[in-house]
Amino acid sequence: LFAYSCGCLVIVEDLHSGSQQHWLGHPEEISTLAVSHDAQVVASASGRGLGDSRCQVRIWDVPSRACRKVLFHHDTQVQAMAYSWDDRFLITLGDYADRVMALWNAHTYELMTSTRFSEPVHEVAFSPLLAGHLACVGKGAMTFWLMEQQGTDTSLKVHRVPVPEAVGPVELTSLCYSAGCLLYSGTSSGQICAWDTETDRCFMTWEADEGEIGVLQSHGNRLVSGSNTKRIRLWSVAAVQELRVRGSGARSSSVLLEQEMTLDGTVVSATFDDCMDMGIVGTTAGTLWYINWAENTSIRLISGHKNKVSEVAFSPDESHCATCGEDGSVRVWSLASMELVVQFQVLNQSCLCLSWSPVPNSLGGAEGQHIVAGYSDGTLRVFSVSQTEMELKMHPHSVAVTALSYSADGEIILSGDKEGLVAVSSPRTGMTIRLLTDHRSSPINVINGTRKQHAELGVDGSDLWLAASADRRVSVWVSDWMKDKCELLDWLSFPAPAGPEVPRPLPPTLAAFCPWDKSTVVYSGFGLQKEILFYSLPQKQVIEKIPLPYFATSLSLSPAACVIAVGFNERVVRLIDRTAKTERDHRGHDDAVSLCRFTPSGNRLFTASYNEILVWEVQSEC
C-alpha cells in the first residue's frame, strides 16, 4: 500500500491490484502526509475549512479507514510532519507564514509543546537512534532539538549550528537521518552537507546538483536526492561514515553518483524501501513514478495535467477518454486501467475544448478514431488516435476556440470562439463551410448536437444542435449538411436579474439536449433564479424547473438514466435522480467544479476542478 493526496482526498492504493481507498474529510487541498512507522496511522494536513480559524491535521486509522482525530493548531499550511521512530510523538511544522513547530503525543494526540520561529523553517525529522532528538532546517543553519520531559511538562532544548562559510549564503531545504550518527541536508544551491549528530557539526559537503534539493532519503550506504532540475539521483555514501569517525578532511570524491533519472517536473516527494532499490517519487507535474534502480526503470503510476483541465470526452465504445488542458496537451486514457495511452502536445497554446468523433468504431478499441481539439490561437487540430499523430489543422477563428462538437454523423465540426462566432468546418477537406454571428461579442460556452427525431418540429433537417453563450442565450438550430442547410429554430434566454449582486466570474450558460427526450433542451445560467430549466421545442415553452442551491458551473445528463449532474463553485457535485425524486450532494474537490461529464453508458461520472479529475461510480434507481 502507498498513500498520496489528490486535492483534498487521501488515496491509499494497493500497488499489486491497483485498488484504491478514498478518504474524504479535508476542506482544502492537502499539503503534506506522514505515515507512522508501524503503518497503522496516516496523518494528513490541509488548509482551513469554512468556519475554521486554523488549518487541520487529520489522523486516520489505516485498518478501519476512519478519521480518528482532527487537530487544530497552525494558522496556515502545514508543510512538514514526522512521526518519531517509536511512534510515540508526531511533529507538525507550519509554512513560511505560520513558522510554528508543534509536538503531539501520538497516542492521545494532545499538544505537548509548541514553539514559533523568527524565520521560516523548511523540514523536520526525528533521529532514529536518539530518543527525543530531532532536527530542522532553514536559512543557513541546522537546528538540533532535544526533547526534555519533567513530569507532565515537556520542553525543547535548542542548538543552532550555521553551515560552514565555504557553503555560502544558502537555505537548507531538506534533510534526512542516516545510520551511525549521520545526518544529510540539501541546500537551495545544490549542495549536500553531511553532519555528525554526536558533535553537531558539518564535516563535509559536495556539489550534488545544479538546483535546489528538496528531497533527501537515506538508508545504509545509499542516499537519494531529488531537485528542481527534475533529476533524482542515487549516491553511494559508504565512505562518509568512515570519514566521520576518522575525522579526516572529507572530499567530494568520497561519494559516488551511482545512477540518475530525469523525470517530468520538480521532485517534491519520495519514499524508498530499506534497500533503496525501489521507491515512488512525486513531481510537480502531478505525476507519481515507480523507480527501480536495480533495473534502471521508471514507470509512471499516476499522471495528470499541470494546469487547468478544460474538457473530458469519451470514445463511442467507452474504451477510452480524452482530456485537454491549459498546458496545451490532449491526453488519451484507457478507461479500463486509467493509464495514459497517448499524449498530443502543442507548445505555447492552451487547449480549451475537444470532442471525440462519433463515427462507429469497426476496428475495436481506439483504432480508427479521431479527436478534434480547439486552441487559444483559434486553430482546430484533428488527431488520429490509432496513428498517434495530427492529421489536420484548421484556422477558422481569429481568437480562442472555447467550445466545439462533431455533428451526429461526424462529417462536420461545429466550433465557437471567445467572440461569439460559430464556424462550420469539414474535417475531410479542412474548409470552413459557414460562419454564424448570432452570438457576436459573447463567448460560446457550449455546443451540443443530436440527431433530429421529431417531425412535430415542423422543419426539415437531420441534425439538431445548440450553442450556449455568455450573452445568457441559447440558440437552437436544425441542419442538413448534405444540402448545405442550417436554420435557426429557437432562442432560449434568461431574464436579467434585478439587484446589484452579480457574482464574479459570471456563471456560464450551460445547455444540452435531454438524452431521454431529445426534443427537450435542458439549460441553466445566470438568471432571476438558481435553477435548471427544461424547454420543450415542440411546445416552445419551459415545462419543468429544478431549483439549485447555487448557480451551476457545469452540467451533464446521463445518457442511460434520468440523472443530472451539476457542479458548483462551492466545490459540490449534486446528482439529481428525476425518477426517484432524490438529490444528493458529493464533496471531494478542493476547488470549483468546472466539469461534469457522464460516460456514454452513464455508469461513471467524471468531474474536474482545476487540474484534478475525480471518477465516480454512478448507481441510479432508474
Side-chain angles (χ1 to χ4, degrees):
L1 296 176
F2 75 102
Y4 62 98
S5 66
C6 175
C8 51
L9 290 177
V10 177
I11 300 172
V12 179
E13 183 164 329
D14 188 317
L15 273 174
H16 295 289
S17 67
S19 63
Q20 294 180 349
Q21 304 169 26
H22 302 142
W23 298 348
L24 291 90
H26 280 288
E28 293 285 343
E29 183 174 9
I30 294 167
S31 55
T32 188
L33 296 171
V35 182
S36 63
H37 292 88
D38 63 6
Q40 297 302 294
V41 180
V42 173
S44 55
S46 75
R48 287 180 288 197
L50 192 64
D52 292 336
S53 60
R54 294 179 174 179
C55 69
Q56 60 175 245
V57 176
R58 286 184 169 260
I59 307 300
W60 305 88
D61 183 73
V62 173
S64 67
R65 310 179 187 180
C67 180
R68 180 191 299 176
K69 192 89 172 177
V70 182
L71 312 178
F72 295 96
H73 185 71
H74 297 275
D75 289 332
T76 55
Q77 293 278 13
V78 175
Q79 66 169 338
M81 297 188 294
Y83 278 94
S84 62
W85 286 83
D86 56 7
D87 288 332
R88 291 173 56 205
F89 307 104
L90 170 69
I91 199 94
T92 59
L93 180 66
D95 64 6
Y96 69 95
D98 184 77
R99 303 201 305 275
V100 169
M101 186 169 72
L103 181 68
W104 307 82
N105 182 315
H107 298 304
T108 64
Y109 287 97
E110 294 178 352
L111 181 65
M112 300 176 66
T113 187
S114 176
T115 185
R116 182 177 174 84
F117 298 94
S118 59
E119 294 180 334
V121 175
H122 304 304
E123 195 171 354
V124 63
F126 276 97
S127 168
L129 298 176
L130 303 171
H133 286 247
L134 57 146
C136 59
V137 288
K139 186 175 181 179
M142 176 75 70
T143 305
F144 295 95
W145 300 83
L146 173 62
M147 187 169 53
E148 295 182 333
Q149 288 183 276
Q150 294 180 346
T152 58
D153 294 332
T154 302
S155 62
L156 289 171
K157 186 179 178 181
V158 61
H159 180 206
R160 188 175 186 271
V161 185
V163 297
E165 290 185 5
V167 176
V170 297
E171 295 270 344
L172 295 185
T173 50
S174 54
L175 84 162
C176 70
Y177 279 91
S178 187
C181 300
L182 271 178
L183 175 63
Y184 295 101
S185 63
T187 76
S188 54
S189 53
Q191 299 108 327
I192 293 179
C193 305
W195 300 77
D196 184 339
T197 60
E198 281 190 336
T199 59
D200 291 352
R201 70 181 182 94
C202 175
F203 65 91
M204 75 171 290
T205 66
W206 73 91
E207 298 292 331
D209 214 313
E210 288 80 50
E212 179 177 310
I213 296 174
V215 171
L216 286 175
Q217 189 170 352
S218 176
H219 196 275
N221 294 324
R222 304 176 103 185
L223 173 71
V224 166
S225 65
S227 76
N228 62 3
T229 63
K230 305 182 182 181
R231 284 195 289 259
I232 186 157
R233 288 176 160 173
L234 177 66
W235 303 88
S236 173
V237 289
V240 176
Q241 182 67 255
E242 183 181 347
L243 291 168
R244 183 193 72 84
V245 175
R246 285 168 37 195
S248 60
R251 297 179 301 277
S252 59
S253 59
S254 304
V255 297
L256 174 68
L257 177 61
E258 287 189 21
Q259 286 174 269
E260 71 173 10
M261 296 183 190
T262 301
L263 304 178
D264 58 351
T266 296
V267 177
V268 291
S269 58
T271 180
F272 280 80
D273 66 353
D274 285 347
C275 300
M276 303 294 288
D277 281 333
M278 51 188 175
I280 298 171
V281 176
T283 73
T284 51
T287 308
L288 290 178
W289 294 88
Y290 170 75
I291 303 294
N292 190 315
W293 294 118
E295 299 176 3
N296 196 25
T297 57
S298 59
I299 300 171
R300 185 168 45 206
L301 295 176
I302 307 291
S303 181
H305 288 271
K306 297 180 183 179
N307 303 104
K308 183 179 180 180
V309 175
S310 304
E311 187 56 272
V312 179
F314 303 95
S315 62
D317 62 0
E318 208 172 309
S319 61
H320 295 77
C321 75
T323 60
C324 68
E326 290 183 353
D327 56 8
S329 66
V330 172
R331 307 183 186 208
V332 180
W333 311 78
S334 164
L335 282 181
S337 63
M338 293 298 175
E339 290 287 330
L340 183 65
V341 177
V342 179
Q343 179 169 330
F344 305 101
Q345 187 71 50
V346 175
L347 298 177
N348 304 318
Q349 297 296 330
S350 296
C351 186
L352 302 177
C353 48
L354 59 77
S355 181
W356 201 298
S357 168
V359 176
N361 181 10
S362 60
L363 299 178
E367 296 294 316
Q369 299 232 5
H370 294 85
I371 296 167
V372 61
Y375 291 84
S376 52
D377 62 352
T379 59
L380 303 178
R381 289 172 167 86
V382 179
F383 299 102
S384 167
V385 178
S386 58
Q387 300 297 320
T388 66
E389 64 182 11
M390 185 181 74
E391 288 193 350
L392 180 65
K393 179 181 177 181
M394 299 177 278
H395 206 154
H397 300 274
S398 59
V399 294
V401 183
T402 53
L404 56 76
S405 176
Y406 274 99
S407 62
D409 60 4
E411 294 296 320
I412 291 294
I413 295 171
L414 297 158
S415 56
D417 68 24
K418 191 177 180 180
E419 294 182 349
L421 184 76
V422 176
V424 182
S425 307
S426 167
R428 290 187 180 273
T429 65
M431 299 292 291
T432 299
I433 300 168
R434 187 185 293 251
L435 296 174
L436 304 171
T437 60
D438 300 73
H439 291 280
R440 182 179 293 278
S441 302
S442 295
I444 303 298
N445 299 136
V446 177
I447 293 178
N448 181 246
T450 186
R451 287 282 191 187
K452 177 175 169 289
Q453 300 173 340
H454 298 270
E456 67 268 26
L457 296 180
V459 289
D460 294 331
S462 58
D463 284 8
L464 283 175
W465 63 275
L466 59 80
S469 170
D471 60 9
R472 306 205 318 277
R473 298 191 299 169
V474 180
S475 58
V476 184
W477 305 76
V478 61
S479 303
D480 189 335
W481 303 114
M482 297 297 291
K483 298 179 181 178
D484 193 27
K485 177 181 178 180
C486 183
E487 180 181 338
L488 182 63
L489 182 63
D490 213 335
W491 280 103
L492 318 181
S493 61
F494 300 96
E501 294 184 8
V502 177
R504 295 294 179 196
L506 205 64
T509 304
L510 307 166
F513 289 101
C514 185
W516 51 88
D517 181 4
K518 294 180 180 178
S519 66
T520 298
V521 175
V522 181
Y523 65 112
S524 183
F526 182 49
L528 289 173
Q529 304 293 330
K530 303 176 182 73
E531 59 189 359
I532 298 173
L533 302 169
F534 290 73
Y535 183 89
S536 170
L537 292 173
Q539 300 177 40
K540 291 189 175 296
Q541 66 180 26
V542 174
I543 57 174
E544 186 180 348
K545 298 179 180 180
I546 298 178
L548 298 174
Y550 319 103
F551 287 112
T553 51
S554 52
L555 176 72
S556 184
L557 285 75
S558 171
C562 309
V563 177
I564 304 169
V566 191
F568 302 105
N569 258 329
E570 289 70 17
R571 312 173 187 186
V572 174
V573 177
R574 172 167 288 193
L575 280 186
I576 304 170
D577 191 322
R578 296 183 68 236
T579 300
K581 304 296 183 185
T582 58
E583 298 179 354
R584 186 172 180 182
D585 289 343
H586 300 272
R587 301 180 184 273
H589 286 293
D590 67 332
D591 207 337
V593 183
S594 56
L595 276 177
C596 293
R597 295 291 182 264
F598 281 103
T599 57
S601 68
N603 293 330
R604 288 179 175 179
L605 173 68
F606 282 57
T607 60
S609 66
Y610 196 65
N611 69 336
E612 69 179 19
I613 299 174
L614 301 185
V615 184
W616 309 78
E617 297 289 340
V618 180
Q619 295 178 341
S620 170
E621 297 178 32
C622 296

